Amino acid sequence: KREESNFFLTLSESQRSVYEEYLLKARGELAKEENGDGDKISVLAAITRLRQICVDPGLFLDGYQGDAVKIAYLLDSLDSLLQEGHKALVFSSFVSALEEVDRKLQEKGISHYLLKGSTGAKERLEMASSFNSDPEVGVMLVSLKAGGTGLNLIGADTVFLLDPWWNLSAEEQAFARAHRIGQDKNVTVFRLIASNSVEERMLSLQARKKELGSILGGITSAPFSKEDFAFLLS
């Protein structure tokens, strides 16, 4: 059995200030694209910046000293879960975010693994085997790209997604690492969403496209229209 929850977090004042600054820049890129002076790649890059800010502005802003609400919440949650004997997977599309969590877990002395695209095949299997069998290893940090296929991580009963995005099939493949044949525990999936942000609008857009897809007889693929971009940056 698998349960999924969207958990909404309010950005700190320092995060919100950075977010609003980059939101204006993103809207500027969208206006240029609409006027024929820009392109979709620039708009997507600006949206990616906003998504990073929702996790931690320090991922790309040198010297950022403010809060990173999601990472703080995640670390608190992991502390509680580990004390109760649970094991958790943490997925992100941003390797830099996982590396920051990795650093914080090391500081706390929490045994864990970090699996990213550069991790070799043999090492991946060794990590997965150890994670599933060793009670001392409670957390596996996995990049969405690295964790898409072939990994059996049924040692986990809790999954966190740090930064939801439009690609539901990639999310589904990631969640399936814990929820597959041989899993005898209930698996709980938490999507961490920054309230009143591009992430929350993305959820609405996903729901709309999914509904449209069911009407048309199949899930519509996401790359975005100008209307979608405008909604995400509203």
Side-chain angles (χ1 to χ4, degrees), residues 122-133:
K122 183 170 180 284
E123 191 180 357
R124 288 159 63 103
L125 290 174
E126 288 171 352
M127 281 184 184
S129 175
S130 175
F131 175 76
N132 289 334
S133 61

Side-chain angles (χ1 to χ4, degrees), residues 28-47:
E29 290 296 338
L30 179 59
K32 283 198 290 186
E33 199 263 336
E34 288 174 340
N35 293 333
D37 299 326
D39 55 53
K40 277 192 174 183
I41 293 172
S42 298
V43 180
L44 275 170
I47 288 173

Side-chain angles (χ1 to χ4, degrees), residues 5-10 191-196 199-200 203:
S5 298
N6 295 328
F7 199 90
F8 293 88
L9 294 159
T10 301
R191 289 183 185 85
L192 303 186
I193 317 269
S195 297
N196 189 25
E199 292 185 338
E200 189 168 355
L203 288 185

Side-chain angles (χ1 to χ4, degrees), residues 189 230-231:
V189 175
F231 175 69

Side-chain angles (χ1 to χ4, degrees), residues 8-224:
F8 293 88
L9 294 159
T10 301
L11 293 178
S12 66
E13 282 186 29
S14 49
Q15 266 182 294
R16 177 56 67 181
S17 173
V18 175
Y19 184 90
E20 294 296 333
E21 178 188 344
Y22 278 81
L23 179 59
L24 288 176
K25 292 181 180 180
R27 287 171 176 164
E29 290 296 338
L30 179 59
K32 283 198 290 186
E33 199 263 336
E34 288 174 340
N35 293 333
D37 299 326
D39 55 53
K40 277 192 174 183
I41 293 172
S42 298
V43 180
L44 275 170
I47 288 173
T48 297
R49 278 284 182 249
L50 293 176
R51 294 177 58 224
Q52 287 177 308
I53 292 164
C54 289
V55 178
D56 179 0
L59 298 183
F60 69 93
L61 278 181
D62 289 338
Y64 175 76
Q65 297 296 318
D67 299 312
V69 171
K70 277 196 196 186
I71 289 181
Y73 174 81
L74 173 69
L75 292 168
D76 285 346
S77 299
L78 291 175
D79 273 340
S80 301
L81 287 164
L82 294 173
Q83 286 173 19
E84 295 168 4
H86 297 279
K87 287 195 173 206
L89 303 178
V90 179
F91 286 98
S92 175
S93 50
F94 301 121
V95 172
S96 54
L98 296 175
E99 289 172 341
E100 176 64 11
V101 176
D102 172 49
R103 190 176 65 78
K104 301 272 191 188
L105 291 176
Q106 286 183 45
E107 287 174 2
K108 287 171 166 276
I110 294 173
S111 294
H112 66 285
Y113 290 122
L114 170 59
L115 196 162
K116 47 191 179 180
S118 58
T119 308
K122 183 170 180 284
E123 191 180 357
R124 288 159 63 103
L125 290 174
E126 288 171 352
M127 281 184 184
S129 175
S130 175
F131 175 76
N132 289 334
S133 61
D134 187 345
E136 295 301 312
V137 183
V139 182
M140 175 86 92
L141 310 175
V142 191
S143 71
L144 268 180
K145 283 185 179 177
T149 54
L151 278 178
N152 183 333
L153 297 170
I154 59 172
D157 58 8
T158 308
V159 180
F160 291 95
L161 181 62
L162 260 183
D163 42 275
W165 193 222
W166 66 264
N167 195 336
L168 287 171
S169 62
E171 286 185 12
E172 179 58 37
Q173 285 181 340
F175 300 159
R177 297 313 98 214
H179 189 252
R180 55 192 307 174
I181 294 169
Q183 177 60 274
D184 56 3
K185 301 177 286 290
N186 290 338
V187 175
T188 307
V189 175
F190 296 100
R191 289 183 185 85
L192 303 186
I193 317 269
S195 297
N196 189 25
S197 75
V198 66
E199 292 185 338
E200 189 168 355
R201 286 168 180 75
M202 193 66 245
L203 288 185
S204 301
L205 199 57
Q206 278 179 347
R208 278 214 310 249
K209 286 183 177 289
K210 204 167 183 180
E211 189 177 336
L212 177 63
S214 64
I215 293 167
L216 298 176
I219 300 300
T220 55
S221 59
F224 308 106

